[in-house]
Amino acid sequence: MKTTTATAEVLNDLVQINNDRIEGYEKARQELKEGDADLKTLFLNMIAESQKYKMALAAEVAALGEDIETGTTNSGKIYRAWMDVKALFTGHDRKTVLNNCEFGEDAAQNAYKTALEEEDIPSNIRDLIADQKASLRVSHDEIKRLRDAQA
């Protein structure tokens, strides 16, 4: 029973990280200018990606008989507030938005890494987490590449 609860807690942490990611990309889309249609489309894809991952994680939590988290993490809320303050001083330029997004992607990678370090997670759930982490890494690298391409 203890292992089931611990596994559900890990999964719920990842649900919250994906909720943060969804909110972060929705906020980032609002900060972009009209000429940034490419990023708006990319961010929509990343929102959809996190919604898909969140649903897969939530299904595993439900299968364990535990309650599914619906909120965001405290660190996520702090991250979004930091984005708001930073935007006031730096504007909404493309590079700033991408910098903020990379910060969020780094946080997601760290959360998934921490989840994979947990002992006693069933192998099927460990595989799910590892697969999601790998896909999120591709998104992280795309954000970093776009950010680095800015002057």
Side-chain angles (χ1 to χ4, degrees):
M1 189 66 172
K2 183 180 173 194
T3 302
T4 299
T5 302
T7 300
E9 286 176 10
V10 168
L11 291 168
N12 271 322
D13 285 347
L14 296 178
V15 167
Q16 289 179 310
I17 288 294
N18 278 284
N19 286 339
D20 288 339
R21 194 168 179 262
I22 290 165
E23 284 192 32
Y25 279 114
E26 286 172 349
K27 173 140 187 55
R29 287 186 77 242
Q30 294 167 3
E31 292 183 7
L32 292 170
K33 294 177 175 50
E34 286 186 29
D36 295 321
D38 61 327
L39 289 184
K40 287 184 179 192
T41 300
L42 177 65
F43 293 172
L44 268 180
N45 291 339
M46 292 184 173
I47 290 167
E49 177 181 56
S50 272
Q51 288 170 333
K52 180 177 95 175
Y53 294 162
K54 179 176 81 164
M55 295 308 294
L57 296 163
E60 293 296 337
V61 173
L64 293 169
E66 299 286 336
D67 292 331
I68 301 160
E69 277 296 331
T70 57
T72 57
T73 63
N74 287 334
S75 61
K77 290 175 186 164
I78 291 167
Y79 159 63
R80 283 188 300 281
W82 176 83
M83 265 179 74
D84 289 340
V85 171
K86 188 170 181 187
L88 291 174
F89 295 105
T90 60
H92 303 286
D93 65 76
R94 190 174 168 100
K95 186 168 186 170
T96 299
V97 170
L98 288 166
N99 270 329
N100 292 340
C101 290
E102 187 185 6
F103 179 84
E105 290 297 325
D106 288 343
Q109 283 296 306
N110 287 334
Y112 273 82
K113 178 180 177 282
T114 300
L116 288 170
E117 291 169 354
E118 288 290 322
E119 295 180 18
D120 300 327
I121 291 181
S123 61
N124 65 314
I125 292 175
R126 185 174 301 282
D127 291 346
L128 172 69
I129 294 169
D131 289 348
Q132 287 187 4
K133 182 181 185 304
S135 292
L136 288 170
R137 185 68 198 189
V138 171
S139 295
H140 170 277
D141 292 349
E142 177 66 6
I143 292 293
K144 186 176 185 321
R145 183 189 66 74
L146 288 167
R147 195 262 340 257
D148 290 348
Q150 299 303 303

